[in-house]
Amino acid sequence: MTRTSAPVDAPVTGAWEGLVTTALLGTDRRTPPGTAPGPDAPVALLDAAAVATVRRRAGLRPARAAKRPQPAPEDPRPPLPAAAAHRLAMLLADRPGASAGGRRGTAPDLMELLPQWLAAANARGFAPPPQALPALLDAARGRTDLRPAALEFAGPRALWLARLNPDWRFALRSTPGGGAALPHLEDDDRVQQLWQEGLFAERVALLSALRSREPAAARALLETTWATERAEDRLMFLDSLRTGLTPDDEPFLEQALADRSRNVRATAAELLSALPGSALAARMAVRAAACVAIDHTHSTGSAQDTRTSRTSEGAPTPTIVVEAPHECDPGMERDGVVPKAPAGRGERSWWFGQLVEAAPLGTWPRRLGGRTPKEIVALPVADDWQGELHAAWCRAAVRQRDAEWSRALLGEPSAPEAGGPGAVSLAERAKLLGTLGAAERAEWVAGFIATHGLSEAFQLLGVCAVPWAPPLGRAVVDALNIARDAGSYPWSFSGVMGLAERCLDPSESGRLDALLAVPDEPENASPGAGGYWAEAFQRLVTTLRLRAAMAEELSAP
């Protein structure tokens, strides 16, 4: 049969839909146009569909050729060693999936090792193999926590790819300036041009880069356009001043206290309170000190409190008394105190906490009789104000990075009270630990685990440097072993076990060999607990050995 094709311009959508309908109904009920019913109808339908398919694919007028993209930029970093490149491909090919019953088995979770691998590769300054970039971008697309390290490792070629694939556009948004090259910071004309005409992300990147090298120049650049910036942009720009914050920034921040945006005012006040010598810090010190005093005659309410607040001679022990502010005046508001308390919170305690948090910690030894932070924290506090006062001191210690106050508020890790004398939550303890050095932090958490076990230690472990120091690693392994021997419910320790897989020093794998056997289960043990523990320790050992191999591969010449 001879058919005459329609012109290339003819619409084909309706004809195609007619053929689809005929196929669904069957040629016994409906035949293609120009075909008689009978045994030849199905063949004619398929012929017509083939012709229509070819037209749909090729029957288009040629468009003007698009401009060819510029070649991908060169990556000057050295390439990965061959073994490390093979390992990267394995890590990127892994897909998480739970096995039957939710048990993970003994195989390492490779996707959880990818962040650690990327950090090590970035520390050594390697460039990725070009063929790995699509999988690396796909992995970063699915995990926002992976993006900073993944994009740093992927380098400029990944940004070149991201401009060609909409699925990877997140890389342009996640990279300040979308990968656009910043001008040399010594080129004042180019810097000024980008600051005046650049996109917001480019301006943030420029300000951050300049601030890290020349803090005063970055602040001066920001001052040139501050009055005309949008409120949300002013907030982001102001946040960049955290880097290299010095007393020289005080005049500019003092002006920002009068900003029309509440969030900008609050950020300016926070930055000023981190400068103990600032005028705002001095004003907050006066306000906070007026609320806190030592009373040598105060006796607390309960009989137990009365006994503990007296010396051996029967005289009252000095007690901290609190008189919270009765109003939030305009001066307090200007200095960053938020007047409206959250739901369920008393106004006076809300104002009081903000004053103490913003006051320099050096205020309190002078105000409270020359006592050390440890002695101050040990003093009783009247009328149930201890929690509020100590919580505010915790926030101040974190904001001002004061290790001495942090130690005082944390207390001894072996103290009977897991909460410590000052911290009111695990989150606050973790923040206080962040002000200490890595070795001291690990030692404190190891002592805490030795006394209190692992049930409350997960959040504290998360702030410790990786790999864990030997005392901390031993404390975690010993606590897991104790839990195993006690027949504890094993799944309650899965989070700590997962942390150990990523954070335990690989050299500890030899100490774990004795834990690989299935233990005898006590009568009160959870059913199947022994098998789970053996499986979990086997996975831990396998993961540690894999991490050791990863480090060796990245260290190869």
Side-chain angles (χ1 to χ4, degrees), residues 320-345:
I320 294 178
V321 291
V322 172
E323 179 66 27
H326 291 271
E327 65 172 346
C328 181
D329 58 45
M332 290 166 59
E333 276 198 66
R334 181 182 181 276
D335 286 345
V337 176
V338 179
K340 185 173 177 59
R345 184 81 179 273

Side-chain angles (χ1 to χ4, degrees), residues 280 282-292 329 331-332 335 337 355:
L280 179 138
R283 295 192 295 269
M284 288 299 197
V286 171
R287 294 174 179 127
C291 299
V292 179
D329 58 45
M332 290 166 59
D335 286 345
V337 176
L355 295 181

Side-chain angles (χ1 to χ4, degrees), residues 93 108 116 127 268-269 343 481:
Q116 193 169 115
N481 193 19

